[in-house]
Structure formats: C-alpha cells, structure tokens
Amino acid sequence: MAESPPVPKAAERRKWSPKEDIVLISAWLNTSKDPIVSTNHKGGAFWKRIQEYYNGSPQLSGFAPRELNQCKQRWGRLNEQVCRFVGSHEAALKEQASGQNENDVMKAAHDIFLNDYGSKFGLEHAWRELRYDQKWKSNSKDGAKEKRKEGAEVEPEFEEVRPEGVKAAKRKKRGNEAYDQLQTMLGVKDAISKRRLLERLLARKDPLSETEMVLKDKLVSELVVTGLNCLNWLLYCLLYCFLVYMLHGVNFQSRVM
C-alpha cells in the first residue's frame, strides 16, 4: 500500500513586536505624507513602498522580513484598534475629575475600552505613536489640552505648516474682494456727502461763520487729497484752483458789500 504524501505544515504565524509596530507606523506615516506617492501611486505601489521602508529599517536588524500583505493586515488592525481607543480616551477626558492626572485618565480609558469592546487594549505603544497625528487627534474640548501641549513642545523652526487648500484660498479671496468692494462703496458714499456739503457752503450768499469757514477749508483740502489719489489728478488740481478762486472771490465780494 503506497503511503500518502506528507501534508505540508502551515507556516508558523509570527507575532508582531512593539518595535515592529512602531517601524510599520513610521513607514505608513512617511509614505502617506509623501505628495508624490500619495497622488501618483495606486494601492499596490503604495504598500510596496511601505514594505520596502519596513524591511529596510536598521531598527529591525535581525528580524525576519515581512510580506506586503502582512504589513497591510497589521496596519489595518493597528488603525482600527487605535481609532477605538482614541474614542475611549476622549470619553475619559470628558469625565476627568478635578485632581486626576494623566495616569488616572489612561486607566479610565482602558476601562471604557474593555467595557465597550469586551477585550483589553494592548496597543498602547501604537496609540502613543499616533496620538498627535492629525487623523487620530481627539476632537473634544478637553482634548485640546493635548494639542496645546504638543504645540508647546515643538520647536518653531520644525513646526509643520500645512498648505492652504484651494477652496479655502478661494473663500478667503472672495471675502477680501467683498470687503474691498464694501470699503470702496463706503468711501464713495462719504465723498459724495462731503461734496454736497461743500456745494451748500459755496452756495451760501450770507457770510459763513468761523466754524463753517474751517469746515469749508477742510473739505477743499480733502477733495484735493482724494483727487491726487486718482488717475485724473490733473482734473482735480484744476478743480481745486477753481474752488480757491471762487472762495476768494466770494470772500472779496462779501467784504466789498
């Protein structure tokens, strides 16, 4: 009777160590923030880059290399669990009582996670690596303490500045244009009011009071300044000469009469 061929043994599943997790997280963050990779590479090429980054890390010297699918599956679990714990930590921050410190908050967060998901959270090292990245930051008001703390610890010259989005830039431009238009309209309205007031003063037949004379001279000066700021400044200069002539003529006639 012929013996049946031996059944090949399944490859032994190797657990991920905290050091491997941290290198994988670093590989994902660096690759995802690379503008060339994120915009021009498809999913396969993206994870190929992560695998190469991971296997080429000097921190994992002596560790067996990982396959692309292994990296992808491990990242999926890290991301899922860390996102869940972010919610638990945020809930713990909201319930933080006066006098409780970070250790008390962490204990409460672990208790909330255990109660919500029925298992302990064993990836705290991964959460600590990701907690200050934009995607995993807490959105609660109390969580803003962590953001302010992070900002205080970062040197200004190394602080990351995110480029303004196209839509945000357009909204900002439209807002500035609307403000400029409003200012222009108010300026025109103010100029018209002053011009009408000056016309009324010039049309007065009876002598002007001292206060009215001061106001009239001020309006004339402002009209000249406004004219100099316009393209047709020459016309305003001629107008100024005409107004001065009219003013002196009216004053001379009033004295003679």
Side-chain angles (χ1 to χ4, degrees):
M1 183 177 178
E3 295 182 359
S4 59
V7 179
K9 294 183 179 179
E12 183 180 355
R13 186 175 181 181
R14 182 160 55 94
K15 292 184 178 181
W16 286 73
S17 66
K19 180 182 288 189
E20 288 178 295
D21 286 339
I22 290 174
V23 173
L24 178 62
I25 290 171
S26 178
W28 190 91
L29 291 174
N30 282 280
T31 305
S32 65
K33 292 180 180 181
D34 186 335
I36 298 177
V37 175
S38 60
T39 57
N40 298 333
H41 285 62
K42 295 182 179 180
F46 176 79
W47 282 102
K48 183 66 176 176
R49 286 284 299 272
I50 292 177
Q51 181 198 16
E52 292 173 353
Y53 184 106
Y54 173 88
N55 289 329
S57 173
Q59 299 180 46
L60 299 180
S61 178
F63 284 77
R66 294 281 187 179
E67 298 294 332
L68 184 149
N69 285 336
Q70 289 178 307
C71 295
K72 189 174 182 179
Q73 291 172 7
R74 182 59 177 176
W75 169 255
R77 175 166 176 77
L78 290 175
N79 182 38
E80 178 189 31
Q81 294 295 303
V82 169
C83 286
R84 288 178 175 180
F85 190 75
V86 166
S88 301
H89 188 263
E90 184 175 349
L93 279 173
K94 290 180 179 179
E95 297 174 1
Q96 183 180 9
S98 177
Q100 288 186 329
N101 55 27
E102 176 62 19
N103 292 332
D104 298 322
V105 173
M106 284 299 295
K107 184 180 182 304
H110 279 281
D111 291 340
I112 293 172
F113 187 93
L114 177 61
N115 181 67
D116 289 347
Y117 302 106
S119 61
K120 293 183 178 180
F121 180 66
L123 298 173
E124 188 174 323
H125 60 279
W127 172 76
R128 292 189 180 279
E129 284 293 310
L130 294 169
R131 65 182 300 193
Y132 292 127
D133 193 84
Q134 189 65 38
K135 180 179 178 181
W136 292 274
K137 277 184 179 179
S138 171
N139 294 320
S140 67
K141 293 181 180 179
D142 293 324
K145 299 177 183 176
E146 301 292 337
K147 297 179 186 179
R148 289 195 295 270
K149 180 180 178 183
E150 176 202 6
E153 293 174 351
V154 177
E155 293 293 334
E157 58 268 28
F158 296 110
E159 188 171 350
E160 181 182 0
V161 179
R162 295 183 178 271
E164 186 177 38
V166 175
K167 293 183 179 179
K170 288 183 178 179
R171 287 195 298 270
K172 183 177 179 181
K173 182 179 179 181
R174 287 197 295 268
N176 291 338
E177 290 177 350
Y179 176 79
D180 292 340
Q181 291 175 0
L182 177 61
Q183 291 296 105
T184 302
M185 291 173 61
L186 292 175
V188 171
K189 184 177 180 180
D190 183 61
I192 292 174
S193 298
K194 291 180 178 179
R195 181 173 60 85
R196 289 177 177 174
L197 177 59
L198 180 59
E199 289 175 350
R200 287 197 295 271
L201 291 173
L202 292 174
R204 288 270 297 275
K205 295 182 179 181
D206 53 321
L208 300 177
S209 65
E210 183 177 352
T211 303
E212 290 173 332
M213 288 293 295
V214 172
L215 176 59
K216 179 184 63 177
D217 293 338
K218 181 180 178 182
L219 291 174
V220 171
S221 299
E222 289 182 358
L223 183 61
V224 173
V225 173
T226 302
L228 292 175
N229 290 333
C230 299
L231 294 177
N232 55 349
W233 59 271
L234 181 59
L235 178 62
Y236 278 98
C237 288
L238 295 174
L239 179 61
Y240 172 73
C241 294
F242 174 74
L243 291 174
V244 170
Y245 173 78
M246 291 293 296
L247 291 174
H248 284 288
V250 171
N251 291 335
F252 178 77
Q253 291 178 5
S254 63
R255 292 195 193 98
V256 172
M257 294 175 63

